[in-house]
């Protein structure tokens, strides 16, 4: 992440009055490993995924750990018949962040945010816009700051 991206992240959080704690951390090889490193439950780690709309636009989906996008549910909430995951280069172009670092905080493009309802009522960790860091934020405050649409948009991931 460049210094300008760090500045963009910090400026956006400040402009929205969002209290964010960025914590440096080593890489983890699993959701459980990441949660252990951060001292939280896996469900408190929230992935921010760039999703492509059928019309070429994009949105951000907030997905708690251990869950995945339920495409039918998300399409219904968004009000479209087709959504897809873009490739890594397109996700970077749409959000300003590389996969694994994506966050609504400082994301480019003014993308609408759709949050799974399980994000509410908890302190969550999400991408901090750079590798080797997590941003801790109150889920309710994050949803409010981005006027996110909140709904049941995920399913539990199958046990592997």
């Amino acid at each position: 992440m460049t210094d300008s991206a760090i500045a963009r992240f910090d400026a956006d959080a400040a402009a929205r009055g969002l209290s964010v704690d960025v914590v440096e951390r080593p890489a983890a090889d699993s959701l459980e490993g990441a949660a252990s490193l951060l001292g939280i439950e896996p469900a408190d780690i929230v992935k921010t995924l760039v999703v492509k709309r059928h019309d070429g636009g994009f949105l951000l989906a907030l997905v708690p750990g251990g869950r995945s996008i339920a495409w039918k549910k998300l399409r219904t909430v968004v009000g479209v018949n087709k959504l897809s995951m873009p490739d890594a280069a397109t996700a970077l172009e749409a959000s300003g962040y590389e996969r694994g670092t994506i966050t609504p905080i400082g994301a480019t493009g003014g993308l609408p945010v759709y949050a799974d309802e399980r994000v509410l009522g908890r302190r969550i960790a999400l991408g901090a816009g750079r590798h080797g860091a997590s941003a801790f934020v109150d889920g309710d405050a994050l949803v409010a700051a981005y006027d996110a649409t909140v709904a049941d948009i995920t399913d539990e991931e199958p046990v592997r």
Side-chain angles (χ1 to χ4, degrees):
M1 180 166 155
T2 65
D3 288 341
S4 64
I6 292 171
R8 187 176 75 231
F9 178 98
D10 292 343
D12 189 37
R16 295 174 187 272
L18 197 55
S19 176
V20 181
D21 296 316
V22 176
V23 175
E24 303 297 321
R25 54 158 177 76
D29 59 359
S30 68
L31 173 64
E32 292 75 17
S36 179
L37 285 169
L38 295 170
I40 59 177
E41 295 297 317
D44 294 330
I45 296 177
V46 174
K47 299 175 281 195
T48 303
L49 302 174
V50 176
V51 176
K52 186 175 182 179
R53 296 172 49 107
H54 70 288
D55 62 6
F58 297 91
L59 61 91
L60 298 176
L62 302 181
V63 178
R67 301 192 67 83
S68 58
I69 291 175
W71 291 102
K72 183 176 181 181
K73 292 177 185 179
L74 184 57
R75 285 191 310 268
T76 299
V77 172
V78 176
V80 298
N81 292 326
K82 186 174 179 189
L83 295 170
S84 62
M85 294 290 293
D87 63 36
T90 304
L92 171 60
E93 186 178 325
S95 69
Y97 294 124
E98 292 179 19
R99 281 196 180 152
T101 71
I102 300 171
T103 176
I105 305 168
T108 57
L111 306 179
V113 177
Y114 290 80
D116 185 78
E117 64 191 9
R118 292 156 193 86
V119 168
L120 298 177
R122 63 189 340 149
R123 186 162 172 79
I124 60 171
L126 69 161
R130 65 183 183 267
H131 293 287
S134 293
F136 283 84
V137 64
D138 178 80
D140 294 8
L142 182 72
V143 163
Y146 291 90
D147 195 25
T149 299
V150 178
D152 177 10
I153 60 168
T154 66
D155 287 328
E156 193 168 336
E157 288 183 340
V159 178
R160 297 178 195 188

